[in-house]
Structure formats: structure tokens, C-alpha cells
Amino acid sequence: MKQRTATRLAWTFWGLSMLLALGALTLSAIDRTVARAVENGVFVGIFMALGVVGALVVGRQTRNAVGWILLAVAVAAGVAFAGGEYANHGTFADPGSLPGVAWAWWMGDFLWVALLALPTTFLLLLFPDGRVPSPRWRPVLWVVTAFVVSAMVVFALDPTTYARGRFENPLGVEALRS
């Protein structure tokens, strides 16, 4: 990928994540949940700052996985916050006013797996140049990748209920219920 294209793509991803995060903060303010808006504002600031760093890294070194990981964290945070606030608004602030609230609960909840896994595993393994420290670390990377993907699949299909039992996971598989 050309440097200019990668830079534009990186800043576009960051801008998208920022728009989603600002939309979530707007919904928090509309719903008059000041404590929640302040808490989300702190998290949004942290995750969007990671996205800025990611976009800057991609702008300088397109092939460095660290920049793309930081951008993925920012996008996942934006989608998770927007989904969570959309679901909260459609469930508690103005019940029944929004379509797809169960999917928004699922998305807002499910993406936290990516938000936790990306910086705590892949970022640590691939820092600072986007590659594992030595060839001996490749099996560790594959094991971590398999674990994270498995955890995300199980979490996505878990038959959880949201909003104090009002909604069920739309992808929930009953066989996974413990």
C-alpha cells in the first residue's frame, strides 16, 4: 500500500472512530447521565489519543503493525461506545424509540473483548517495530491469536441477556449456556 493511501486511510479510520465517540457522548448528554458522560469522556479521550498515535505511526511507517493495532483499538472503542449509548438510550431513556437495540447491546458489549485484547496482547508482542522480537516468539503470537479469536467467538455467541434481562444476545447459542 502506498504511503499516502495508508495515511489517508488511517486518518479516515480515526475520524470515523471520533465521530462515533462524539455521537456516544452526545447521547450521554441528551440522556442527562452526567456521571456516565464524564466517565465515557475520559475513556473516549484515552482511546482516541491511541488512535492519533496509531495514525501518526501509520503515516510514517505503513507496515508497522503497532500503528494499525492502535487504530483498531480506537475504531473498536468508537463503535463500542456508540453501540452502548445507543442501546442505553433506546432501552432506558426513550424505550422503544430506536430499532436494533438488542444488536447495539451486543455490539457495545462484545467489542470490549477487542478493546482489552489488542493493547494487552498484540501491542505488547509487536512493540516497537510491529514484529515479534525473534522467530522464537512466532508460536506465542499464534497461540495468543488463537486464544483471542476463540474468546471473541465464544463471547459473541454466549447466550447472555442485556439491560437487566430485557434483551437476549441476538447471536446467542443456547448450547453454550453454562
Side-chain angles (χ1 to χ4, degrees):
M1 181 181 305
K2 291 184 180 180
Q3 188 76 28
R4 186 179 306 227
T5 304
T7 302
R8 286 183 183 154
L9 186 62
W11 285 107
T12 301
F13 282 147
W14 180 82
L16 173 67
S17 65
M18 193 65 179
L19 284 174
L20 289 168
L22 290 175
L25 290 175
T26 302
L27 275 176
S28 291
I30 289 170
D31 295 344
R32 294 183 182 93
T33 51
V34 176
R36 188 174 172 98
V38 169
E39 177 186 337
N40 282 352
V42 170
F43 284 119
V44 164
I46 291 168
F47 288 121
M48 294 307 113
L50 289 175
V52 168
V53 173
L56 290 171
V57 169
V58 168
R60 296 281 184 179
Q61 299 177 355
T62 306
R63 293 178 180 238
N64 191 331
V66 170
W68 292 107
I69 289 170
L70 292 172
L71 278 170
V73 168
V75 170
V79 173
F81 285 131
E85 289 305 315
Y86 179 92
N88 188 55
H89 182 80
T91 303
F92 300 114
D94 193 4
S97 65
L98 299 173
V101 173
W103 285 100
W105 278 114
W106 174 81
M107 186 182 344
D109 198 35
F110 165 71
L111 284 176
W112 279 100
V113 176
L115 281 173
L116 295 174
L118 287 171
T120 59
T121 56
F122 298 108
L123 191 58
L124 292 175
L125 278 170
L126 300 174
F127 188 80
D129 61 357
R131 288 178 262 166
V132 290
S134 72
R136 284 188 242 158
W137 282 88
R138 284 193 192 116
V140 173
L141 181 64
W142 285 108
V143 167
V144 166
T145 302
F147 176 76
V148 168
V149 168
S150 300
M152 289 181 77
V153 167
V154 168
F155 198 85
L157 300 178
D158 180 32
T160 289
T161 60
Y162 305 112
R164 299 181 204 119
R166 294 182 190 182
F167 299 99
E168 290 189 10
N169 181 349
L171 295 179
V173 175
E174 193 62 33
L176 293 177
R177 190 175 301 275
S178 56

PDB file of all heavy atoms in Angstrom, residues 11 16 24 31 40 47 54 57-59 62 76 89 95 97 103 105 108 123 148 150 153 158 164 173:
ATOM      1  N   TRP A  11      -6.166   8.121   8.863  1.00  0.00           N
ATOM      2  CA  TRP A  11      -6.877   9.284   9.406  1.00  0.00           C
ATOM      3  C   TRP A  11      -8.377   9.174   9.185  1.00  0.00           C
ATOM      4  O   TRP A  11      -9.168   9.676   9.996  1.00  0.00           O
ATOM      5  CB  TRP A  11      -6.314  10.579   8.832  1.00  0.00           C
ATOM      6  CG  TRP A  11      -4.999  10.916   9.451  1.00  0.00           C
ATOM      7  CD1 TRP A  11      -3.770  10.827   8.870  1.00  0.00           C
ATOM      8  CD2 TRP A  11      -4.765  11.339  10.800  1.00  0.00           C
ATOM      9  NE1 TRP A  11      -2.791  11.178   9.774  1.00  0.00           N
ATOM     10  CE2 TRP A  11      -3.372  11.508  10.963  1.00  0.00           C
ATOM     11  CE3 TRP A  11      -5.592  11.596  11.883  1.00  0.00           C
ATOM     12  CZ2 TRP A  11      -2.800  11.912  12.162  1.00  0.00           C
ATOM     13  CZ3 TRP A  11      -5.021  12.007  13.083  1.00  0.00           C
ATOM     14  CH2 TRP A  11      -3.647  12.160  13.209  1.00  0.00           C
ATOM     15  N   LEU A  16     -13.588   8.423  11.701  1.00  0.00           N
ATOM     16  CA  LEU A  16     -14.797   7.628  11.911  1.00  0.00           C
ATOM     17  C   LEU A  16     -14.959   7.269  13.384  1.00  0.00           C
ATOM     18  O   LEU A  16     -16.046   7.404  13.948  1.00  0.00           O
ATOM     19  CB  LEU A  16     -14.738   6.357  11.060  1.00  0.00           C
ATOM     20  CG  LEU A  16     -15.849   5.346  11.279  1.00  0.00           C
ATOM     21  CD1 LEU A  16     -17.184   5.922  10.815  1.00  0.00           C
ATOM     22  CD2 LEU A  16     -15.530   4.051  10.563  1.00  0.00           C
ATOM     23  N   ALA A  24     -21.681   9.075  20.756  1.00  0.00           N
ATOM     24  CA  ALA A  24     -21.972   8.415  22.033  1.00  0.00           C
ATOM     25  C   ALA A  24     -21.999   9.422  23.168  1.00  0.00           C
ATOM     26  O   ALA A  24     -22.882   9.376  24.036  1.00  0.00           O
ATOM     27  CB  ALA A  24     -20.923   7.333  22.307  1.00  0.00           C
ATOM     28  N   ASP A  31     -29.272  12.103  27.377  1.00  0.00           N
ATOM     29  CA  ASP A  31     -29.922  11.272  28.385  1.00  0.00           C
ATOM     30  C   ASP A  31     -29.705  11.802  29.801  1.00  0.00           C
ATOM     31  O   ASP A  31     -30.187  11.214  30.760  1.00  0.00           O
ATOM     32  CB  ASP A  31     -29.411   9.834  28.298  1.00  0.00           C
ATOM     33  CG  ASP A  31     -29.791   9.168  26.994  1.00  0.00           C
ATOM     34  OD1 ASP A  31     -30.690   9.699  26.310  1.00  0.00           O
ATOM     35  OD2 ASP A  31     -29.191   8.140  26.664  1.00  0.00           O
ATOM     36  N   ASN A  40     -17.355   8.222  30.276  1.00  0.00           N
ATOM     37  CA  ASN A  40     -17.140   7.909  28.868  1.00  0.00           C
ATOM     38  C   ASN A  40     -16.188   8.908  28.225  1.00  0.00           C
ATOM     39  O   ASN A  40     -15.386   8.541  27.369  1.00  0.00           O
ATOM     40  CB  ASN A  40     -18.462   7.888  28.108  1.00  0.00           C
ATOM     41  CG  ASN A  40     -19.241   6.614  28.343  1.00  0.00           C
ATOM     42  OD1 ASN A  40     -18.748   5.671  28.953  1.00  0.00           O
ATOM     43  ND2 ASN A  40     -20.477   6.597  27.886  1.00  0.00           N
ATOM     44  N   PHE A  47      -8.823   6.464  24.354  1.00  0.00           N
ATOM     45  CA  PHE A  47      -8.834   5.632  23.154  1.00  0.00           C
ATOM     46  C   PHE A  47      -8.619   6.451  21.882  1.00  0.00           C
ATOM     47  O   PHE A  47      -7.977   5.995  20.941  1.00  0.00           O
ATOM     48  CB  PHE A  47     -10.126   4.821  23.061  1.00  0.00           C
ATOM     49  CG  PHE A  47     -10.181   3.703  24.060  1.00  0.00           C
ATOM     50  CD1 PHE A  47     -11.207   3.634  24.990  1.00  0.00           C
ATOM     51  CD2 PHE A  47      -9.219   2.723  24.076  1.00  0.00           C
ATOM     52  CE1 PHE A  47     -11.258   2.602  25.911  1.00  0.00           C
ATOM     53  CE2 PHE A  47      -9.257   1.680  24.996  1.00  0.00           C
ATOM     54  CZ  PHE A  47     -10.280   1.623  25.918  1.00  0.00           C
ATOM     55  N   GLY A  54      -1.676   5.991  16.571  1.00  0.00           N
ATOM     56  CA  GLY A  54      -1.708   4.982  15.514  1.00  0.00           C
ATOM     57  C   GLY A  54      -1.668   5.597  14.127  1.00  0.00           C
ATOM     58  O   GLY A  54      -0.926   5.142  13.248  1.00  0.00           O
ATOM     59  N   VAL A  57       1.816   6.889  13.442  1.00  0.00           N
ATOM     60  CA  VAL A  57       2.750   5.792  13.153  1.00  0.00           C
ATOM     61  C   VAL A  57       2.529   5.277  11.738  1.00  0.00           C
ATOM     62  O   VAL A  57       3.478   5.079  10.982  1.00  0.00           O
ATOM     63  CB  VAL A  57       2.607   4.648  14.190  1.00  0.00           C
ATOM     64  CG1 VAL A  57       3.371   3.411  13.748  1.00  0.00           C
ATOM     65  CG2 VAL A  57       3.080   5.108  15.553  1.00  0.00           C
ATOM     66  N   VAL A  58       1.265   5.060  11.360  1.00  0.00           N
ATOM     67  CA  VAL A  58       0.963   4.581  10.007  1.00  0.00           C
ATOM     68  C   VAL A  58       1.425   5.597   8.966  1.00  0.00           C
ATOM     69  O   VAL A  58       1.925   5.227   7.905  1.00  0.00           O
ATOM     70  CB  VAL A  58      -0.541   4.274   9.852  1.00  0.00           C
ATOM     71  CG1 VAL A  58      -0.927   4.057   8.404  1.00  0.00           C
ATOM     72  CG2 VAL A  58      -0.913   3.056  10.684  1.00  0.00           C
ATOM     73  N   GLY A  59       1.290   6.874   9.279  1.00  0.00           N
ATOM     74  CA  GLY A  59       1.733   7.909   8.357  1.00  0.00           C
ATOM     75  C   GLY A  59       3.229   7.881   8.095  1.00  0.00           C
ATOM     76  O   GLY A  59       3.694   8.272   7.028  1.00  0.00           O
ATOM     77  N   THR A  62       4.112   2.586   7.187  1.00  0.00           N
ATOM     78  CA  THR A  62       2.884   1.905   6.790  1.00  0.00           C
ATOM     79  C   THR A  62       2.836   0.448   7.234  1.00  0.00           C
ATOM     80  O   THR A  62       1.792  -0.057   7.613  1.00  0.00           O
ATOM     81  CB  THR A  62       2.746   1.958   5.262  1.00  0.00           C
ATOM     82  OG1 THR A  62       2.840   3.312   4.857  1.00  0.00           O
ATOM     83  CG2 THR A  62       1.439   1.376   4.810  1.00  0.00           C
ATOM     84  N   ALA A  76     -12.644   0.294  17.456  1.00  0.00           N
ATOM     85  CA  ALA A  76     -13.453  -0.576  18.327  1.00  0.00           C
ATOM     86  C   ALA A  76     -14.041   0.218  19.486  1.00  0.00           C
ATOM     87  O   ALA A  76     -15.198   0.006  19.871  1.00  0.00           O
ATOM     88  CB  ALA A  76     -12.601  -1.735  18.846  1.00  0.00           C
ATOM     89  N   HIS A  89     -29.888   4.480  25.374  1.00  0.00           N
ATOM     90  CA  HIS A  89     -30.936   5.443  25.033  1.00  0.00           C
ATOM     91  C   HIS A  89     -32.213   4.736  24.608  1.00  0.00           C
ATOM     92  O   HIS A  89     -33.306   5.094  25.050  1.00  0.00           O
ATOM     93  CB  HIS A  89     -30.452   6.382  23.922  1.00  0.00           C
ATOM     94  CG  HIS A  89     -31.449   7.418  23.540  1.00  0.00           C
ATOM     95  ND1 HIS A  89     -31.633   8.567  24.267  1.00  0.00           N
ATOM     96  CD2 HIS A  89     -32.340   7.476  22.511  1.00  0.00           C
ATOM     97  CE1 HIS A  89     -32.590   9.292  23.720  1.00  0.00           C
ATOM     98  NE2 HIS A  89     -33.029   8.649  22.641  1.00  0.00           N
ATOM     99  N   PRO A  95     -37.568   4.344  25.836  1.00  0.00           N
ATOM    100  CA  PRO A  95     -37.801   2.937  25.475  1.00  0.00           C
ATOM    101  C   PRO A  95     -38.618   2.776  24.189  1.00  0.00           C
ATOM    102  O   PRO A  95     -39.611   3.456  23.975  1.00  0.00           O
ATOM    103  CB  PRO A  95     -38.582   2.388  26.672  1.00  0.00           C
ATOM    104  CG  PRO A  95     -38.278   3.320  27.792  1.00  0.00           C
ATOM    105  CD  PRO A  95     -38.043   4.656  27.171  1.00  0.00           C
ATOM    106  N   SER A  97     -37.851   3.572  21.186  1.00  0.00           N
ATOM    107  CA  SER A  97     -37.731   4.619  20.169  1.00  0.00           C
ATOM    108  C   SER A  97     -36.742   4.281  19.059  1.00  0.00           C
ATOM    109  O   SER A  97     -36.784   4.897  17.998  1.00  0.00           O
ATOM    110  CB  SER A  97     -37.309   5.934  20.829  1.00  0.00           C
ATOM    111  OG  SER A  97     -36.011   5.807  21.382  1.00  0.00           O
ATOM    112  N   TRP A 103     -29.096  -5.613  19.087  1.00  0.00           N
ATOM    113  CA  TRP A 103     -27.822  -5.672  18.371  1.00  0.00           C
ATOM    114  C   TRP A 103     -26.847  -4.634  18.916  1.00  0.00           C
ATOM    115  O   TRP A 103     -25.642  -4.879  18.992  1.00  0.00           O
ATOM    116  CB  TRP A 103     -28.037  -5.469  16.876  1.00  0.00           C
ATOM    117  CG  TRP A 103     -28.608  -6.677  16.225  1.00  0.00           C
ATOM    118  CD1 TRP A 103     -29.904  -6.885  15.885  1.00  0.00           C
ATOM    119  CD2 TRP A 103     -27.905  -7.860  15.856  1.00  0.00           C
ATOM    120  NE1 TRP A 103     -30.056  -8.121  15.317  1.00  0.00           N
ATOM    121  CE2 TRP A 103     -28.841  -8.742  15.290  1.00  0.00           C
ATOM    122  CE3 TRP A 103     -26.581  -8.260  15.944  1.00  0.00           C
ATOM    123  CZ2 TRP A 103     -28.491  -9.993  14.815  1.00  0.00           C
ATOM    124  CZ3 TRP A 103     -26.232  -9.524  15.465  1.00  0.00           C
ATOM    125  CH2 TRP A 103     -27.176 -10.366  14.911  1.00  0.00           C
ATOM    126  N   TRP A 105     -26.771  -3.519  22.028  1.00  0.00           N
ATOM    127  CA  TRP A 105     -26.274  -4.056  23.302  1.00  0.00           C
ATOM    128  C   TRP A 105     -25.166  -5.065  23.042  1.00  0.00           C
ATOM    129  O   TRP A 105     -24.137  -5.058  23.702  1.00  0.00           O
ATOM    130  CB  TRP A 105     -27.389  -4.721  24.106  1.00  0.00           C
ATOM    131  CG  TRP A 105     -28.241  -3.790  24.885  1.00  0.00           C
ATOM    132  CD1 TRP A 105     -29.565  -3.537  24.677  1.00  0.00           C
ATOM    133  CD2 TRP A 105     -27.852  -2.976  25.999  1.00  0.00           C
ATOM    134  NE1 TRP A 105     -30.004  -2.613  25.580  1.00  0.00           N
ATOM    135  CE2 TRP A 105     -28.984  -2.253  26.412  1.00  0.00           C
ATOM    136  CE3 TRP A 105     -26.657  -2.781  26.674  1.00  0.00           C
ATOM    137  CZ2 TRP A 105     -28.957  -1.359  27.476  1.00  0.00           C
ATOM    138  CZ3 TRP A 105     -26.635  -1.888  27.734  1.00  0.00           C
ATOM    139  CH2 TRP A 105     -27.767  -1.195  28.123  1.00  0.00           C
ATOM    140  N   GLY A 108     -21.968  -3.246  21.664  1.00  0.00           N
ATOM    141  CA  GLY A 108     -21.309  -2.481  22.709  1.00  0.00           C
ATOM    142  C   GLY A 108     -20.617  -3.357  23.728  1.00  0.00           C
ATOM    143  O   GLY A 108     -19.578  -3.009  24.287  1.00  0.00           O
ATOM    144  N   LEU A 123      -0.208  -5.680  21.063  1.00  0.00           N
ATOM    145  CA  LEU A 123       0.640  -4.496  21.148  1.00  0.00           C
ATOM    146  C   LEU A 123       1.915  -4.803  21.921  1.00  0.00           C
ATOM    147  O   LEU A 123       3.009  -4.403  21.530  1.00  0.00           O
ATOM    148  CB  LEU A 123      -0.125  -3.350  21.808  1.00  0.00           C
ATOM    149  CG  LEU A 123       0.519  -1.987  21.727  1.00  0.00           C
ATOM    150  CD1 LEU A 123       0.740  -1.580  20.276  1.00  0.00           C
ATOM    151  CD2 LEU A 123      -0.337  -0.961  22.437  1.00  0.00           C
ATOM    152  N   VAL A 148      -7.357 -15.356  21.470  1.00  0.00           N
ATOM    153  CA  VAL A 148      -8.184 -14.154  21.367  1.00  0.00           C
ATOM    154  C   VAL A 148      -9.357 -14.378  20.416  1.00  0.00           C
ATOM    155  O   VAL A 148     -10.497 -14.016  20.715  1.00  0.00           O
ATOM    156  CB  VAL A 148      -7.336 -12.935  20.944  1.00  0.00           C
ATOM    157  CG1 VAL A 148      -8.203 -11.759  20.562  1.00  0.00           C
ATOM    158  CG2 VAL A 148      -6.378 -12.557  22.062  1.00  0.00           C
ATOM    159  N   SER A 150     -10.730 -17.265  19.640  1.00  0.00           N
ATOM    160  CA  SER A 150     -11.647 -18.197  20.314  1.00  0.00           C
ATOM    161  C   SER A 150     -12.476 -17.481  21.368  1.00  0.00           C
ATOM    162  O   SER A 150     -13.692 -17.696  21.475  1.00  0.00           O
ATOM    163  CB  SER A 150     -10.875 -19.337  20.971  1.00  0.00           C
ATOM    164  OG  SER A 150     -10.153 -20.057  20.024  1.00  0.00           O
ATOM    165  N   VAL A 153     -15.155 -15.403  19.666  1.00  0.00           N
ATOM    166  CA  VAL A 153     -16.249 -16.214  19.137  1.00  0.00           C
ATOM    167  C   VAL A 153     -17.157 -16.681  20.268  1.00  0.00           C
ATOM    168  O   VAL A 153     -18.389 -16.572  20.183  1.00  0.00           O
ATOM    169  CB  VAL A 153     -15.698 -17.410  18.323  1.00  0.00           C
ATOM    170  CG1 VAL A 153     -16.788 -18.427  18.026  1.00  0.00           C
ATOM    171  CG2 VAL A 153     -15.054 -16.921  17.040  1.00  0.00           C
ATOM    172  N   ASP A 158     -22.245 -16.260  23.245  1.00  0.00           N
ATOM    173  CA  ASP A 158     -22.741 -16.531  24.588  1.00  0.00           C
ATOM    174  C   ASP A 158     -24.188 -16.053  24.717  1.00  0.00           C
ATOM    175  O   ASP A 158     -24.506 -14.923  24.372  1.00  0.00           O
ATOM    176  CB  ASP A 158     -21.857 -15.802  25.604  1.00  0.00           C
ATOM    177  CG  ASP A 158     -22.289 -16.031  27.031  1.00  0.00           C
ATOM    178  OD1 ASP A 158     -22.811 -17.122  27.315  1.00  0.00           O
ATOM    179  OD2 ASP A 158     -22.093 -15.122  27.858  1.00  0.00           O
ATOM    180  N   ARG A 164     -30.668  -5.793  32.108  1.00  0.00           N
ATOM    181  CA  ARG A 164     -31.414  -6.449  33.192  1.00  0.00           C
ATOM    182  C   ARG A 164     -32.452  -7.444  32.662  1.00  0.00           C
ATOM    183  O   ARG A 164     -33.594  -7.477  33.104  1.00  0.00           O
ATOM    184  CB  ARG A 164     -32.075  -5.396  34.081  1.00  0.00           C
ATOM    185  CG  ARG A 164     -31.072  -4.480  34.739  1.00  0.00           C
ATOM    186  CD  ARG A 164     -31.750  -3.467  35.636  1.00  0.00           C
ATOM    187  NE  ARG A 164     -30.872  -2.319  35.780  1.00  0.00           N
ATOM    188  CZ  ARG A 164     -31.186  -1.097  35.402  1.00  0.00           C
ATOM    189  NH1 ARG A 164     -32.344  -0.831  34.870  1.00  0.00           N
ATOM    190  NH2 ARG A 164     -30.325  -0.121  35.564  1.00  0.00           N
ATOM    191  N   VAL A 173     -26.072 -18.757  21.351  1.00  0.00           N
ATOM    192  CA  VAL A 173     -26.274 -20.164  21.080  1.00  0.00           C
ATOM    193  C   VAL A 173     -26.575 -20.843  22.421  1.00  0.00           C
ATOM    194  O   VAL A 173     -25.747 -20.805  23.341  1.00  0.00           O
ATOM    195  CB  VAL A 173     -25.011 -20.794  20.422  1.00  0.00           C
ATOM    196  CG1 VAL A 173     -25.177 -22.288  20.260  1.00  0.00           C
ATOM    197  CG2 VAL A 173     -24.728 -20.121  19.104  1.00  0.00           C
TER     198      VAL A 173
END
